[in-house]
mmCIF file of all heavy atoms in Angstrom:
data_model
loop_
_atom_site.group_PDB
_atom_site.id
_atom_site.type_symbol
_atom_site.label_atom_id
_atom_site.label_comp_id
_atom_site.label_asym_id
_atom_site.label_seq_id
_atom_site.Cartn_x
_atom_site.Cartn_y
_atom_site.Cartn_z
ATOM 1 N N ALA A 20 -2.871 -40.617 -50.165
ATOM 2 C CA ALA A 20 -3.305 -39.253 -50.446
ATOM 3 C C ALA A 20 -2.160 -38.434 -51.018
ATOM 4 O O ALA A 20 -2.338 -37.611 -51.932
ATOM 5 C CB ALA A 20 -3.846 -38.595 -49.181
ATOM 6 N N ASN A 32 0.434 -29.604 -64.344
ATOM 7 C CA ASN A 32 1.591 -29.039 -65.031
ATOM 8 C C ASN A 32 1.672 -29.504 -66.479
ATOM 9 O O ASN A 32 2.119 -28.756 -67.358
ATOM 10 C CB ASN A 32 2.870 -29.395 -64.285
ATOM 11 C CG ASN A 32 2.953 -28.684 -62.937
ATOM 12 O OD1 ASN A 32 2.162 -27.778 -62.662
ATOM 13 N ND2 ASN A 32 3.897 -29.087 -62.095
ATOM 14 N N SER A 47 -5.550 -29.916 -72.989
ATOM 15 C CA SER A 47 -5.298 -29.305 -71.683
ATOM 16 C C SER A 47 -6.451 -29.564 -70.730
ATOM 17 O O SER A 47 -6.246 -29.886 -69.547
ATOM 18 C CB SER A 47 -5.071 -27.797 -71.843
ATOM 19 O OG SER A 47 -3.925 -27.540 -72.625
ATOM 20 N N LEU A 134 -1.131 -21.489 -64.555
ATOM 21 C CA LEU A 134 -0.161 -21.577 -63.468
ATOM 22 C C LEU A 134 0.393 -22.991 -63.298
ATOM 23 O O LEU A 134 -0.354 -23.960 -63.169
ATOM 24 C CB LEU A 134 -0.807 -21.124 -62.157
ATOM 25 C CG LEU A 134 -1.321 -19.679 -62.124
ATOM 26 C CD1 LEU A 134 -2.025 -19.413 -60.802
ATOM 27 C CD2 LEU A 134 -0.199 -18.697 -62.349
ATOM 28 N N VAL A 156 -8.719 -22.263 -69.472
ATOM 29 C CA VAL A 156 -9.073 -23.011 -70.679
ATOM 30 C C VAL A 156 -10.437 -22.576 -71.197
ATOM 31 O O VAL A 156 -10.629 -22.366 -72.406
ATOM 32 C CB VAL A 156 -9.059 -24.529 -70.406
ATOM 33 C CG1 VAL A 156 -9.578 -25.295 -71.627
ATOM 34 C CG2 VAL A 156 -7.659 -25.001 -70.066
ATOM 35 N N ILE A 197 -5.751 -15.122 -54.596
ATOM 36 C CA ILE A 197 -7.057 -14.451 -54.558
ATOM 37 C C ILE A 197 -7.083 -13.289 -55.544
ATOM 38 O O ILE A 197 -8.054 -13.096 -56.277
ATOM 39 C CB ILE A 197 -7.355 -13.959 -53.127
ATOM 40 C CG1 ILE A 197 -7.582 -15.149 -52.201
ATOM 41 C CG2 ILE A 197 -8.571 -13.045 -53.126
ATOM 42 C CD1 ILE A 197 -7.803 -14.765 -50.749
ATOM 43 N N VAL A 220 -15.655 -6.106 -58.371
ATOM 44 C CA VAL A 220 -14.627 -7.138 -58.214
ATOM 45 C C VAL A 220 -13.239 -6.518 -58.194
ATOM 46 O O VAL A 220 -12.411 -6.818 -57.325
ATOM 47 C CB VAL A 220 -14.747 -8.176 -59.347
ATOM 48 C CG1 VAL A 220 -13.584 -9.168 -59.293
ATOM 49 C CG2 VAL A 220 -16.075 -8.929 -59.246
ATOM 50 N N ARG A 229 -3.680 -3.527 -51.693
ATOM 51 C CA ARG A 229 -3.097 -2.453 -50.879
ATOM 52 C C ARG A 229 -2.907 -2.893 -49.435
ATOM 53 O O ARG A 229 -1.907 -2.528 -48.794
ATOM 54 C CB ARG A 229 -3.979 -1.211 -50.957
ATOM 55 C CG ARG A 229 -3.801 -0.422 -52.250
ATOM 56 C CD ARG A 229 -4.779 0.735 -52.350
ATOM 57 N NE ARG A 229 -4.405 1.668 -53.403
ATOM 58 C CZ ARG A 229 -5.187 2.648 -53.857
ATOM 59 N NH1 ARG A 229 -6.417 2.795 -53.345
ATOM 60 N NH2 ARG A 229 -4.765 3.456 -54.810
ATOM 61 N N ASP A 259 -12.391 11.727 -66.452
ATOM 62 C CA ASP A 259 -11.543 12.298 -65.399
ATOM 63 C C ASP A 259 -11.166 11.239 -64.373
ATOM 64 O O ASP A 259 -10.015 11.187 -63.911
ATOM 65 C CB ASP A 259 -12.256 13.468 -64.720
ATOM 66 C CG ASP A 259 -12.392 14.672 -65.638
ATOM 67 O OD1 ASP A 259 -11.611 14.758 -66.608
ATOM 68 O OD2 ASP A 259 -13.280 15.510 -65.401
ATOM 69 N N GLU A 279 10.957 2.419 -69.866
ATOM 70 C CA GLU A 279 10.994 1.760 -71.169
ATOM 71 C C GLU A 279 10.310 0.396 -71.157
ATOM 72 O O GLU A 279 10.616 -0.457 -71.986
ATOM 73 C CB GLU A 279 12.456 1.597 -71.615
ATOM 74 C CG GLU A 279 13.215 2.903 -71.725
ATOM 75 C CD GLU A 279 12.626 3.825 -72.778
ATOM 76 O OE1 GLU A 279 12.368 3.347 -73.901
ATOM 77 O OE2 GLU A 279 12.399 5.012 -72.475
ATOM 78 N N LEU A 287 0.415 4.526 -71.097
ATOM 79 C CA LEU A 287 0.497 5.741 -71.914
ATOM 80 C C LEU A 287 -0.538 5.703 -73.039
ATOM 81 O O LEU A 287 -1.187 6.716 -73.336
ATOM 82 C CB LEU A 287 1.900 5.889 -72.495
ATOM 83 C CG LEU A 287 3.010 6.286 -71.519
ATOM 84 C CD1 LEU A 287 4.376 6.098 -72.171
ATOM 85 C CD2 LEU A 287 2.843 7.730 -71.059
ATOM 86 N N ASP A 324 0.349 -4.785 -80.693
ATOM 87 C CA ASP A 324 0.182 -3.605 -79.843
ATOM 88 C C ASP A 324 0.778 -2.366 -80.491
ATOM 89 O O ASP A 324 0.305 -1.246 -80.267
ATOM 90 C CB ASP A 324 0.805 -3.848 -78.469
ATOM 91 C CG ASP A 324 -0.023 -4.810 -77.629
ATOM 92 O OD1 ASP A 324 -1.232 -4.928 -77.893
ATOM 93 O OD2 ASP A 324 0.538 -5.456 -76.724
ATOM 94 N N LEU A 353 -2.854 -1.555 -91.286
ATOM 95 C CA LEU A 353 -3.374 -2.568 -92.210
ATOM 96 C C LEU A 353 -2.304 -3.602 -92.544
ATOM 97 O O LEU A 353 -2.586 -4.808 -92.597
ATOM 98 C CB LEU A 353 -3.871 -1.885 -93.485
ATOM 99 C CG LEU A 353 -4.436 -2.809 -94.571
ATOM 100 C CD1 LEU A 353 -5.652 -3.562 -94.065
ATOM 101 C CD2 LEU A 353 -4.793 -2.001 -95.821
ATOM 102 N N LYS A 362 -6.359 -11.507 -93.760
ATOM 103 C CA LYS A 362 -7.052 -10.452 -94.505
ATOM 104 C C LYS A 362 -8.552 -10.436 -94.265
ATOM 105 O O LYS A 362 -9.214 -9.442 -94.582
ATOM 106 C CB LYS A 362 -6.762 -10.604 -96.003
ATOM 107 C CG LYS A 362 -5.305 -10.328 -96.349
ATOM 108 C CD LYS A 362 -5.063 -10.354 -97.847
ATOM 109 C CE LYS A 362 -3.614 -10.006 -98.161
ATOM 110 N NZ LYS A 362 -3.342 -10.013 -99.624
ATOM 111 N N ILE A 369 -12.305 -3.006 -90.500
ATOM 112 C CA ILE A 369 -12.487 -1.689 -89.902
ATOM 113 C C ILE A 369 -11.485 -0.688 -90.464
ATOM 114 O O ILE A 369 -11.839 0.442 -90.827
ATOM 115 C CB ILE A 369 -12.364 -1.787 -88.371
ATOM 116 C CG1 ILE A 369 -13.573 -2.521 -87.787
ATOM 117 C CG2 ILE A 369 -12.251 -0.391 -87.744
ATOM 118 C CD1 ILE A 369 -13.426 -2.898 -86.334
ATOM 119 N N LEU A 390 -13.057 0.665 -101.750
ATOM 120 C CA LEU A 390 -12.597 0.236 -100.433
ATOM 121 C C LEU A 390 -13.753 0.011 -99.466
ATOM 122 O O LEU A 390 -13.684 -0.877 -98.616
ATOM 123 C CB LEU A 390 -11.607 1.253 -99.876
ATOM 124 C CG LEU A 390 -10.244 1.241 -100.576
ATOM 125 C CD1 LEU A 390 -9.385 2.402 -100.103
ATOM 126 C CD2 LEU A 390 -9.519 -0.078 -100.326
ATOM 127 N N ALA A 394 -14.268 -3.390 -97.538
ATOM 128 C CA ALA A 394 -14.496 -3.451 -96.089
ATOM 129 C C ALA A 394 -15.765 -4.232 -95.777
ATOM 130 O O ALA A 394 -15.807 -5.026 -94.825
ATOM 131 C CB ALA A 394 -14.586 -2.042 -95.512
ATOM 132 N N SER A 428 -29.288 4.319 -104.880
ATOM 133 C CA SER A 428 -28.251 3.478 -104.269
ATOM 134 C C SER A 428 -28.077 3.824 -102.797
ATOM 135 O O SER A 428 -27.857 2.939 -101.960
ATOM 136 C CB SER A 428 -26.923 3.655 -105.012
ATOM 137 O OG SER A 428 -27.027 3.208 -106.344
ATOM 138 N N ALA A 527 -33.335 24.411 -72.616
ATOM 139 C CA ALA A 527 -32.014 23.781 -72.587
ATOM 140 C C ALA A 527 -30.886 24.796 -72.533
ATOM 141 O O ALA A 527 -29.763 24.473 -72.146
ATOM 142 C CB ALA A 527 -31.833 22.888 -73.803
ATOM 143 N N LEU A 544 -41.123 32.645 -90.712
ATOM 144 C CA LEU A 544 -41.565 32.267 -92.051
ATOM 145 C C LEU A 544 -43.000 31.736 -92.042
ATOM 146 O O LEU A 544 -43.802 32.041 -92.939
ATOM 147 C CB LEU A 544 -40.625 31.205 -92.624
ATOM 148 C CG LEU A 544 -39.240 31.690 -93.053
ATOM 149 C CD1 LEU A 544 -38.343 30.512 -93.381
ATOM 150 C CD2 LEU A 544 -39.345 32.623 -94.246
ATOM 151 N N GLY A 571 -21.677 37.928 -85.168
ATOM 152 C CA GLY A 571 -21.158 39.147 -85.785
ATOM 153 C C GLY A 571 -22.053 39.582 -86.931
ATOM 154 O O GLY A 571 -23.158 39.081 -87.113
ATOM 155 N N HIS A 588 -41.049 43.612 -95.468
ATOM 156 C CA HIS A 588 -41.252 45.032 -95.788
ATOM 157 C C HIS A 588 -41.718 45.205 -97.229
ATOM 158 O O HIS A 588 -42.587 46.055 -97.516
ATOM 159 C CB HIS A 588 -39.957 45.817 -95.556
ATOM 160 C CG HIS A 588 -39.644 46.030 -94.106
ATOM 161 N ND1 HIS A 588 -40.512 46.671 -93.251
ATOM 162 C CD2 HIS A 588 -38.545 45.698 -93.365
ATOM 163 C CE1 HIS A 588 -39.976 46.726 -92.027
ATOM 164 N NE2 HIS A 588 -38.790 46.137 -92.079
ATOM 165 N N GLY A 627 -33.348 44.348 -107.824
ATOM 166 C CA GLY A 627 -33.800 44.778 -109.145
ATOM 167 C C GLY A 627 -35.305 44.877 -109.212
ATOM 168 O O GLY A 627 -35.867 45.817 -109.808
ATOM 169 N N SER A 658 -28.676 27.568 -119.034
ATOM 170 C CA SER A 658 -29.430 27.190 -117.840
ATOM 171 C C SER A 658 -30.827 27.791 -117.868
ATOM 172 O O SER A 658 -31.043 28.909 -118.363
ATOM 173 C CB SER A 658 -28.676 27.676 -116.599
ATOM 174 O OG SER A 658 -29.497 27.628 -115.454
ATOM 175 N N ASN A 708 -44.237 40.398 -109.835
ATOM 176 C CA ASN A 708 -44.060 39.530 -108.665
ATOM 177 C C ASN A 708 -43.710 38.115 -109.103
ATOM 178 O O ASN A 708 -44.549 37.248 -109.167
ATOM 179 C CB ASN A 708 -45.345 39.518 -107.828
ATOM 180 C CG ASN A 708 -45.047 39.209 -106.375
ATOM 181 O OD1 ASN A 708 -43.896 39.153 -105.981
ATOM 182 N ND2 ASN A 708 -46.094 39.031 -105.592
ATOM 183 N N CYS A 711 -41.389 33.679 -105.159
ATOM 184 C CA CYS A 711 -41.933 33.435 -103.821
ATOM 185 C C CYS A 711 -40.834 33.819 -102.847
ATOM 186 O O CYS A 711 -39.756 33.226 -102.850
ATOM 187 C CB CYS A 711 -42.314 31.972 -103.659
ATOM 188 S SG CYS A 711 -42.859 31.562 -101.993
#
Side-chain angles (χ1 to χ4, degrees):
N32 292 349
S47 297
L134 299 176
V156 174
I197 292 177
V220 173
R229 282 175 166 169
D259 291 339
E279 301 297 312
L287 288 168
D324 287 336
L353 179 62
K362 293 185 177 180
I369 290 169
L390 288 172
S428 296
L544 287 171
H588 286 302
S658 166
N708 206 8
C711 175

